């Protein structure tokens, strides 16, 4: 028998080597292992004849292989394995790439089940790299696990089978009353059936229960973070100087901005530290809200610190704060690791002496040897680099300063309450009047040359452009464009005569900084990048954003990327390139064409794709979820929110005996360390 806490090495099929691979996935015990959930199933309950399949859709067919495939080397070190298989009526052509096990897996004359997309090409049925199952699996639902860290779905499946043969959770995490009210299956059933369901209904019941539980645990954990004693701060605002700040402002605030400033001023009037998120679309004027709060804080003798994820962004902020504070007497300083030692030393001294009201820099400014005379307000920008863990560590720094977190990622309200459940929310849901919109086009890849010519026309006039690719390197997936190869190609063809830069997430921070600096200064004209440029970069001279394989991105992400242009006075364009044929993908891209409003786009994204993607995005800094990131409808989400509310109303810190196993789950999800008791 295995127990929850048994080391994974004692599961049949796991040796030293595999144990190491599992550890990379965070799986150390049996309890961790059974939480490695399949992402989908191969439904072998419904096998079809080849002619019954819908071309272009994934299906499973039974077919006899004509002959064992033999590898044929083609160009670029690729080896192809081709064969044919028949279901007695039709023939399907099978092709595999670079998989030297294929000849041992497929033997001529034997029957298998093939699962994959069936294409019909000039009257010929084809499948590329279909998954192979033995006939004995017919009638079953086969779990498909994410292939990571060198563990294939097959390996995980067999290890899981071995584990579940001798293990079943002997406990229940959800209180009985809750399970009854929300009609959720028991944990034991859920764990067995999420991995090896007999049919789709059981798989769904299991998935619902586990998702519900994880969402509940997430919300309870966030609520605990919010409700725990945040300590006490001396940095309390006595007088509100907002009116004075506004007199010097060259524009009128939006209503949303005024409300957000009032929220912040109210919070900072208390001894309990502020813990607030300021959420607003690109250009909604978050910086101005932050500046107003810094202004009042400074006039009350309280110092502020603003942190950005990179030096470039910090420098950008420094410039805008300087212009906000021009002629106000507010003393602002920039502090970067790259500055000269003497200069840094002087600034630090001034901070210590209270001669600086606002210091702007990267995260290092509050971690390193900077001591403040009276730090009372900490602002972080582009919140997605600062997850729940960092928010906690921030709040516990120094004398529990007030904290304001700024995020440019619009999220539907209902989800924001969950994702940022540990924070109070201020939302800038309107843009200042008179903003120019970015013209958005959707084209297929046959337009490439025209797109390049369009870009060159603008580069020739001195403007700059971005091209974003979904991947760093092509090998990650043969179907999509990788930034590295693509930039190589473009540099020797369409953009031979233009200085171009390449930016992606696998580069070192210092390399990224220097590529970015070259683009900001205009030394490079075209930047070919992955989504790393999403984060707050402001280059008003860049007027074209081209996104390759645009259907691969979430709408919110596309919107963020688009927000990188349209920041100057020149009319800007965003060109989405996609060969996606599915109506759903087309519809999503159409929404981009129609709307420039981040919150509307986020709502549409939620409607079309479900909430799972919002939980899955790393940028929100949530703990790593096991299953809720697959959630595709809001109903379950709303129910779990209702359940969380009821539980918390009854037991705010989850101290009652009946909630103790839930509390344990919270600690497991949040890895213990962020949860205070
Ligand atoms: P965000 O940080 O939310 O993307 P910013 O604070 O950088 O937006 O604001 C974008 C631009 O709009 C800045 O140039 C800012 O000065 C200006 N701005 C901010 N608020 C207003 C307003 N109420 N009316 C007009 N312009 C504004
Ligand atoms: Mg900004």
């Amino acid at each position: 028998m295995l127990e929850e806490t048994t080391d994974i090495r004692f599961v049949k099929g796991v040796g030293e080597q595999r144990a190491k691979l599992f550890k990379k996935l965070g799986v150390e015990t049996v309890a961790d292992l059974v939480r490695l959930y399949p992402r989908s199933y191969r439904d072998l309950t419904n096998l079809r004849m080849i002619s019954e399949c819908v071309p272009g859709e994934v299906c499973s067919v039974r077919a006899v292989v004509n002959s064992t495939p033999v590898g044929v080397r083609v160009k670029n070190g690729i080896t192809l394995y081709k064969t044919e298989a028949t279901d007695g009526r039709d023939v399907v052509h099978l092709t595999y790439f670079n998989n030297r096990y294929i000849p041992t897996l497929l033997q001529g004359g034997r029957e298998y089940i093939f699962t994959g997309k069936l294409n019909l090409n000039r009257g010929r049925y084809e499948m590329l790299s279909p998954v192979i199952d033995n006939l004995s699996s017919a009638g079953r639902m086969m779990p498909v696990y994410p292939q990571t860290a060198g563990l294939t779905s097959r390996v995980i499946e067999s290890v899981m089978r071995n584990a579940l043969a001798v293990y079943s959770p002997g406990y229940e995490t959800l209180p009985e009353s809750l399970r009854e009210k929300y009609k959720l299956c028991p944990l034991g059933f859920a764990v067995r059936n999420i991995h090896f369901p007999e049919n789709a209904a059981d798989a769904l019941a299991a998935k619902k229960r586990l998702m519900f539980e994880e969402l509940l645990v997430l919300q309870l954990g966030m609520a605990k973070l919010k409700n725990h004693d945040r300590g006490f701060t001396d940095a309390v605002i006595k007088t509100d100087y907002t009116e004075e700040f506004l007199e010097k402002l060259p524009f009128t605030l939006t209503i949303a901005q005024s409300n957000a400033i009032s929220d912040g001023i109210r919070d900072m009037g208390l001894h309990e530290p502020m813990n607030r998120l300021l959420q607003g679309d690109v250009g909604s004027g978050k910086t101005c809200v932050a500046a107003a709060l810094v202004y009042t804080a400074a006039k009350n003798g309280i110092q502020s610190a603003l942190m950005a994820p990179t030096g470039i962004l910090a420098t950008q902020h420094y410039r805008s704060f300087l212009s906000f504070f021009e002629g106000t007497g507010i003393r602002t300083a920039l502090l970067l690791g790259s500055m000269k030692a003497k200069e840094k030393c002087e600034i630090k001294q001034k901070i210590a002496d209270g001669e600086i009201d606002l210091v702007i820099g990267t995260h290092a400014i509050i971690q390193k040897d900077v001591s403040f005379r009276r730090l009372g307000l900490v602002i972080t920008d582009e919140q997605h680099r600062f997850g729940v863990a960092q928010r906690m560590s921030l709040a516990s720094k120094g004398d529990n300063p007030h904290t304001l977190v700024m995020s440019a990622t619009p999220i539907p309200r209902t989800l924001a309450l969950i994702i940022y459940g540990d924070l109070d929310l201020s939302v800038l849901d309107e843009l200042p009047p008179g903003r120019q919109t970015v013209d958005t086009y959707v084209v297929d890849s046959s337009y490439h040359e025209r797109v390049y010519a369009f870009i060159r026309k603008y580069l020739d006039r001195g403007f700059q452009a971005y091209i974003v690719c979904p991947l760093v390197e092509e090998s990650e997936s043969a179907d999509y464009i990788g930034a590295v190869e693509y930039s190589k190609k473009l540099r020797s063809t369409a953009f031979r005569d233009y200085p171009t830069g390449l930016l992606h997430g696998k580069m070192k921070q210092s390399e990224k900084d220097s590529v970015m600096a070259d683009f900001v200064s205009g030394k490079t004209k075209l930047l070919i990048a992955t989504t790393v440029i999403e984060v707050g970069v402001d280059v008003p001279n860049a007027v074209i954003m081209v996104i390759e394989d645009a259907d691969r991105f979430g709408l919110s992400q596309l919107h963020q990327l688009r927000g990188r242009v349209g920041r100057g006075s020149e009319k800007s364009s965003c060109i989405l390139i996609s060969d996606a044929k599915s109506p759903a993908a087309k519809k999503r891209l159409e929404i981009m064409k129609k709307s420039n409003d981040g919150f509307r786009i986020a709502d549409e994204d939620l409607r079309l794709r479900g909430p799972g993607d919002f939980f899955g995005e790393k940028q929100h800094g949530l703990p790593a979820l096991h299953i809720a990131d697959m959630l595709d409808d809001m109903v379950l989400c709303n129910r779990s929110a209702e359940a969380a509310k009821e539980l918390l109303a009854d037991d705010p810190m989850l101290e009652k005996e009946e909630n103790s196993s839930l509390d344990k789950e919270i600690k497991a999800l949040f890895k213990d360390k962020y949860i205070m008791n």
Side-chain angles (χ1 to χ4, degrees), residues 24-95:
K24 275 195 202 157
L25 296 177
V27 174
E28 308 211 349
T29 64
V30 169
D32 298 335
L33 178 69
V34 299
R35 281 207 181 97
L36 202 58
Y37 299 126
R39 304 315 278 182
S40 61
Y41 303 90
R42 280 194 306 289
D43 185 354
L44 308 186
T45 59
N46 183 17
L47 301 179
R48 276 178 289 179
M49 298 299 286
I50 294 170
S51 60
E52 289 168 357
C53 300
V54 181
E57 284 183 11
V58 173
C59 59
S60 298
V61 298
R62 269 173 82 145
V64 177
V65 172
N66 290 353
S67 61
T68 302
V70 182
V72 178
R73 218 172 246 280
V74 291
K75 57 174 183 161
N76 303 335
I78 294 173
T79 305
L80 292 183
Y81 298 85
K82 285 178 180 265
T83 187
E84 291 160 21
T86 175
D87 63 0
R89 264 199 247 156
D90 296 284
V91 170
V92 58
H93 295 257
L94 309 174
T95 307

Side-chain angles (χ1 to χ4, degrees), residues 275-579:
N275 195 18
R276 184 167 288 279
L277 172 74
L278 177 61
Q279 200 195 17
D281 209 345
V282 171
S284 59
K286 295 182 289 296
T287 316
C288 177
V289 171
L293 298 183
V294 170
Y295 186 88
T296 287
K299 293 282 171 178
N300 281 270
I302 296 165
Q303 289 175 300
S304 303
L306 184 139
M307 290 175 302
T310 67
I312 292 167
L313 291 173
T315 308
Q316 237 168 248
H317 269 305
Y318 178 61
R319 286 201 206 104
S320 32
F321 276 89
L322 277 186
S323 82
F324 275 124
F325 291 147
E326 205 185 312
T328 61
I330 305 289
R331 299 155 301 179
T332 304
L334 180 67
L335 184 60
L336 295 177
S338 57
M339 291 163 104
K340 287 203 194 74
K342 184 163 163 267
E343 203 180 350
K344 275 192 274 194
C345 205
E346 278 172 19
I347 293 171
K348 283 184 201 166
Q349 190 56 50
K350 284 187 179 165
I351 295 170
D353 293 342
E355 286 166 27
I356 297 287
D357 300 304
L358 168 66
V359 53
I360 298 176
T362 58
H363 208 225
I365 52 175
I366 60 151
Q367 287 177 331
K368 297 255 172 70
D369 52 339
V370 182
S371 59
F372 287 81
R373 182 139 190 279
R374 197 181 175 212
L375 177 64
L377 172 60
V378 174
I379 301 169
T380 58
D381 185 24
E382 297 310 341
Q383 176 270 338
H384 38 286
R385 297 287 182 89
F386 303 104
V388 178
Q390 286 96 326
R391 288 181 219 152
M392 287 311 297
S393 80
L394 251 184
S396 61
K397 274 269 142 48
D399 300 322
N400 294 318
H402 297 292
T403 57
L404 180 76
V405 173
M406 299 196 282
S407 167
T409 316
I411 296 180
R413 184 104 202 167
T414 39
L415 291 183
L417 291 174
I418 298 176
I419 288 172
Y420 300 120
D422 58 328
L423 304 167
D424 293 313
L425 275 185
S426 294
V427 179
L428 301 185
D429 51 7
E430 57 180 325
L431 293 184
R435 272 294 140 73
Q436 68 147 310
T437 55
V438 175
D439 288 338
T440 302
Y441 308 91
V442 181
V443 299
D444 64 37
S445 57
S446 72
Y447 279 74
H448 264 129
E449 287 308 324
R450 265 175 278 183
V451 171
Y452 299 149
F454 182 74
I455 296 176
R456 282 193 302 260
K457 203 175 78 192
Y458 278 87
L459 300 190
D460 289 340
R461 289 175 54 203
F463 292 107
Q464 288 164 284
Y466 301 97
I467 299 183
V468 174
C469 309
L471 301 174
V472 178
E473 282 155 89
E474 225 123 289
S475 56
E476 291 169 44
S477 160
D479 293 347
Y480 299 106
I481 293 177
V484 175
E485 288 91 343
Y486 196 41
S487 88
K488 233 185 257 166
K489 186 181 129 195
L490 291 183
R491 278 171 179 176
S492 61
T493 54
F495 297 99
R496 199 185 301 122
D497 303 326
Y498 299 84
T500 63
L502 169 66
L503 185 75
H504 60 74
K506 289 188 181 167
M507 292 161 65
K508 283 203 224 87
Q509 187 59 48
S510 57
E511 291 174 316
K512 282 193 241 174
D513 284 351
S514 94
V515 170
M516 240 6 265
D518 284 347
F519 191 69
V520 171
S521 72
K523 205 167 130 191
T524 48
K525 297 292 175 200
L526 175 67
L527 188 62
I528 297 154
T530 58
T531 51
V532 286
I533 54 154
E534 218 178 313
V535 188
V537 187
D538 189 9
V539 184
N541 195 44
V543 296
I544 300 173
M545 167 62 70
V546 174
I547 303 174
E548 299 281 352
D549 294 315
D551 51 286
R552 286 261 299 184
F553 297 88
L555 287 186
S556 303
Q557 213 177 5
L558 290 176
H559 179 66
Q560 289 268 313
L561 289 167
R562 178 169 61 183
R564 298 302 115 221
V565 296
R567 303 172 84 87
S569 50
E570 181 72 16
K571 186 78 188 159
S572 296
S573 321
C574 173
I575 303 172
L576 306 174
I577 302 183
S578 164
D579 287 332

Side-chain angles (χ1 to χ4, degrees), residues 591-659:
I591 291 167
M592 290 302 296
K593 233 164 85 176
K594 276 193 229 124
S595 182
N596 263 279
D597 174 344
F599 282 96
R600 240 207 82 195
I601 288 171
D603 279 337
E604 292 284 346
D605 218 5
L606 175 62
R607 209 168 53 76
L608 291 174
R609 296 211 298 178
D613 284 330
F614 290 91
F615 297 123
E617 266 177 51
K618 282 196 199 73
Q619 53 176 317
H620 303 313
L622 292 177
L625 300 175
H626 299 288
I627 194 163
D629 58 348
M630 285 161 58
L631 186 63
D632 53 11
D633 77 286
M634 265 313 275
V635 177
L636 197 65
C637 200
N638 293 334
R639 288 216 189 108
S640 70
E642 184 191 318
K645 236 194 230 156
E646 286 165 9
L647 272 169
L648 289 165
D650 178 53
D651 184 10
M653 289 311 274
L654 301 180
E655 287 152 342
K656 288 193 179 169
E657 177 54 33
E658 73 225 49
N659 295 328

Side-chain angles (χ1 to χ4, degrees), residues 210-228:
L210 294 170
M211 281 179 168
F212 184 97
E213 175 175 328
E214 188 164 50
L215 287 168
L216 180 70
V217 166
L218 175 67
Q219 291 170 88
L220 294 174
M222 295 301 241
K224 271 191 96 168
L225 285 176
K226 185 169 180 174
N227 295 343
H228 88 268

